[in-house]
Amino acid sequence: MADIHFVRKAMIEEQEPPAATTGVAGWIRENLFSSPLNAVLSILSLGFVVYVLSALLPWVMSPTWSAASLNECRELIGGGHGKACWGVIRERWLQLMFGFYPKELYWRVVLDFALLLVAVAPVLFNTLPRKMLIFSAIYPFLMPWLLWGGSIWNPVVAAAGFVLGFLAHKYAKPVLGGLTAVILAFLVPVLWWFLLAGPVADGLASVLPLALETVESRNFGGFMLSITIGVVAIAISLPIGIVLALGRQSDLFIVRSLSVGFIEFIRGVPLITLLFVASTLLNIFMPPGTDFDIILRVIIMVTLFASAYMAEVVRGGLAALPRGQYEAADALGLDFWMAQRLIIMPQALKISIPGIVSTFIGVFKDTTLVSIIGLLDPIGLSNSIRADQAWNGVVWELYGFIALMFFIFCFSMSRYSMYLERKLQTGHR
């Protein structure tokens, strides 16, 4: 019997994949019901979520936004306790946001934080025009003037100190050498700020008085205070942490010893202790009659605390780099600072992104500790609100609102860090 062979002359048309493997059904099958164990766990988890939402949603969906007191809330919900009293948020949300800042000056706070978004945008997203970085450099001097007010010449002469330090370094380096130029770049601004800035600002104010209404620090509070402390501490702690990390790895004994001593001392002391030092002890070491703003003292201590932790995060990134990167920089003939700026530090910071953002989130959440030293952050304001007889007994609503606001800020930072990691990903998956 002869063999019969069949050769296909036409290809079969491509068919659609099974419906159970694509779309929503495919995702559910792959992620929730891929095995008997996963199916059981998914069903149990779904039941737990339904149980929680069935108890939570009636509490949240409470018709008490118009209430003016806790008693009115109870009347609106029929005398029960199973629903939230949102009237306290409607009545006190401005206080939770701005503290006791004058109401007619709220526009300054809103403008200040709107400009903050403009200032950080070119730093966070390099697709924006680089010229916007000029405003990013100006904003640190504009922010305190908008919040605290006073003469416009105070931030101007403060910025002039940095300009003088830059000019001193630029013109001293070719003549006196790099180390002397760095020392002058540090000494010239310090001498300017301590000796000349005050008289120059007063003289300019007498000639051209441009000023905003002054607001005392005791009027600061709520999320405005937390954001102010958090943003300043986050922005300053990163460069200080980088310097400390480099100092800890330095071959110079004095520089390494000072860096190690500072980092270990700060990391070994609780933040609340540093805040008590800022609020009570720091004025003892100042000259008599010195008025050192309490918020400025807190910002300094929180910044130093964050810088010590940031230094260890950056040092971990530096330690993770292969030795070949340093050797490649030496082979290219780069000096120390050029090697750090162009080769070492960009890679170390990319490796350290998760730790850096975790430190940022921790610093922002730690701003609530200032309530212990008498500053009225959102937690401190919630205590004063509950001290009002009309709202005595309201707890979960206030803390829930505060937690939601902190979650929005911290979750945004976390999402941005993940976006940045994906953008800078250069390895193979």
Side-chain angles (χ1 to χ4, degrees):
M1 186 174 180
D3 294 335
I4 299 176
H5 299 279
F6 176 78
V7 179
R8 186 185 302 277
K9 296 182 178 180
M11 295 297 295
I12 298 177
E13 294 184 3
E14 183 178 353
Q15 299 180 359
E16 295 290 334
T21 62
T22 59
V24 177
W27 184 92
I28 293 175
R29 183 175 181 177
E30 180 181 355
N31 293 277
L32 302 181
F33 299 98
S34 58
S35 67
L37 177 60
N38 284 351
V40 172
L41 293 177
S42 298
I43 293 173
L44 292 176
S45 300
L46 181 61
F48 177 75
V49 170
V50 171
Y51 172 77
V52 172
L53 291 179
S54 64
L56 184 61
L57 288 179
W59 184 81
V60 174
M61 305 301 292
S62 175
T64 55
W65 286 99
S66 60
S69 67
L70 181 58
N71 291 331
E72 288 190 24
C73 285
R74 290 173 177 172
E75 291 176 2
L76 290 173
I77 61 179
H81 300 275
K83 294 187 177 181
C85 182
W86 296 120
V88 64
I89 303 300
R90 178 193 59 81
E91 184 174 299
R92 298 298 186 96
W93 75 274
L94 284 176
Q95 188 177 6
L96 288 170
M97 290 293 177
F98 300 102
F100 297 100
Y101 206 85
K103 292 184 178 181
E104 66 275 10
L105 301 180
Y106 281 173
W107 66 270
R108 282 164 47 175
V109 181
V110 174
L111 176 61
D112 189 72
F113 290 117
L115 294 178
L116 171 64
L117 299 178
V118 177
V120 301
V123 179
L124 300 180
F125 305 101
N126 60 7
T127 56
L128 296 175
R130 296 291 90 188
K131 291 183 179 180
M132 292 180 64
L133 290 172
I134 298 175
F135 180 76
S136 301
I138 296 173
Y139 179 77
F141 306 97
L142 184 62
M143 182 195 76
W145 179 62
L146 285 174
L147 291 180
W148 276 273
S151 174
I152 193 176
W153 299 113
N154 293 326
V156 170
V157 297
F162 289 97
V163 175
L164 292 174
F166 171 77
L167 294 176
H169 180 272
K170 179 180 179 180
Y171 291 108
K173 186 175 181 179
V175 180
L176 303 176
L179 180 60
T180 305
V182 171
I183 295 175
L184 287 176
F186 174 77
L187 287 179
V188 169
V190 172
L191 294 175
W192 167 261
W193 290 327
F194 279 93
L195 300 178
L196 298 175
V200 170
D202 293 338
L204 292 173
S206 62
V207 176
L208 188 60
L210 298 175
L212 291 175
E213 180 182 344
T214 303
V215 179
E216 299 292 334
S217 292
R218 64 173 179 267
N219 294 325
F220 283 49
F223 284 99
M224 180 191 72
L225 178 62
S226 294
I227 294 174
T228 300
I229 297 174
V231 167
V232 175
I234 287 172
I236 301 178
S237 64
L238 181 58
I240 295 178
I242 292 174
V243 173
L244 289 172
L246 295 175
R248 185 158 188 165
Q249 293 189 331
S250 174
D251 295 329
L252 300 176
F253 176 76
I254 296 178
V255 174
R256 184 174 66 253
S257 300
L258 290 176
S259 300
V260 171
F262 174 83
I263 293 171
E264 297 302 330
F265 172 77
I266 295 296
R267 293 176 70 224
V269 178
L271 177 57
I272 188 61
T273 303
L274 298 177
L275 294 179
F276 275 120
V277 170
S279 64
T280 58
L281 299 180
L282 203 58
N283 274 344
I284 298 176
F285 300 98
M286 302 300 294
T290 301
D291 184 16
F292 199 1
D293 189 87
I294 178 62
I295 295 180
L296 179 58
R297 284 180 269 161
V298 168
I299 288 176
I300 291 174
M301 287 301 178
V302 174
T303 301
L304 295 179
F305 182 83
S307 299
Y309 283 87
M310 192 64 64
E312 290 299 279
V313 172
V314 175
R315 187 170 70 94
L318 292 171
L321 285 182
R323 184 63 190 171
Q325 298 296 316
Y326 295 88
E327 296 172 350
D330 294 337
L332 291 173
L334 302 178
D335 61 25
F336 175 80
W337 294 111
M338 290 185 66
Q340 292 295 331
R341 181 170 62 89
L342 299 176
I343 296 179
I344 306 302
M345 198 53 64
Q347 298 182 74
L349 292 179
K350 185 181 74 171
I351 296 172
S352 305
I353 286 174
I356 290 174
V357 176
S358 296
T359 304
F360 286 168
I361 292 174
V363 169
F364 183 64
K365 292 189 296 185
D366 285 344
T367 58
T368 56
L369 293 175
V370 300
S371 61
I372 300 177
I373 60 172
L375 294 180
L376 294 178
D377 76 310
I379 301 297
L381 281 175
S382 69
N383 295 331
S384 64
I385 291 172
R386 289 188 294 110
D388 188 347
Q389 185 176 1
W391 303 111
N392 189 8
V394 175
V395 178
W396 289 103
E397 295 83 350
L398 290 170
Y399 288 153
F401 177 76
I402 294 170
L404 176 63
M405 296 300 296
F406 271 100
F407 173 80
I408 291 173
F409 285 108
C410 296
F411 184 75
S412 300
M413 285 190 278
S414 176
R415 292 294 97 183
Y416 174 77
S417 71
M418 296 180 67
Y419 155 78
L420 193 60
E421 286 183 67
R422 290 193 300 270
K423 183 177 180 180
L424 299 179
Q425 179 65 38
T426 56
H428 297 285
R429 293 187 177 274

